[in-house]
Amino acid sequence: MIIAGVRNLGMFSTLEALKDQGGEIRFMDYDSPETCQKAFTGVNKLLLISSSHTDDTVRLTQHTSVINAAKKAGVEHILYTSFAFPQVALKIPVSVHRLTEQGHI
């Protein structure tokens, strides 16, 4: 079963097709770890979509919160939507994406 976590309650109606196919929609917010842990209950594989926040410090904090909540909820596998060669693409030695991927959070 696919469970979609959304932070915008308006997305619930957009994802009705998922529910019609046996999926589930749960509220979660990267800035609210308790909502993430609750949303991840019973989940064994998580696809973490990178935060859209423009401040990398905030983004890394959000990623850390989500990953920690996933661990507490017993998630076994976390897949992350980064992008290829972030340190080269951004022309900086370290990026939020590389830190998230390598678990240095």
Side-chain angles (χ1 to χ4, degrees):
M1 169 175 44
I2 294 176
I3 300 169
V6 297
R7 67 175 177 245
N8 179 339
L9 295 175
M11 291 295 295
F12 277 80
S13 61
T14 305
L15 295 170
E16 284 298 317
L18 175 64
K19 287 175 59 177
D20 293 342
Q21 296 173 16
E24 189 176 335
I25 304 163
R26 297 182 184 173
F27 174 75
M28 60 165 286
D29 185 330
Y30 288 5
D31 292 316
S32 182
E34 63 280 357
T35 65
C36 296
Q37 188 173 344
K38 183 177 178 183
F40 299 153
T41 300
V43 171
N44 58 9
K45 293 178 187 167
L46 170 67
L47 174 59
L48 169 58
I49 307 297
S50 180
S51 165
S52 59
H53 203 286
T54 56
D55 182 327
D56 278 349
T57 302
V58 172
R59 186 183 301 185
L60 188 58
T61 298
Q62 291 172 328
H63 291 180
T64 301
S65 294
V66 171
I67 290 169
N68 288 337
K71 289 177 182 178
K72 288 179 183 175
V75 174
E76 297 172 13
H77 302 282
I78 300 174
L79 299 103
Y80 173 64
T81 59
S82 182
F83 60 90
F85 315 109
Q87 65 278 16
V88 175
L90 296 176
K91 306 261 189 282
I92 56 175
V94 176
S95 78
V96 66
H97 299 291
R98 193 167 114 211
L99 291 171
T100 300
E101 288 174 1
Q102 296 176 352
H104 297 291
I105 50 177

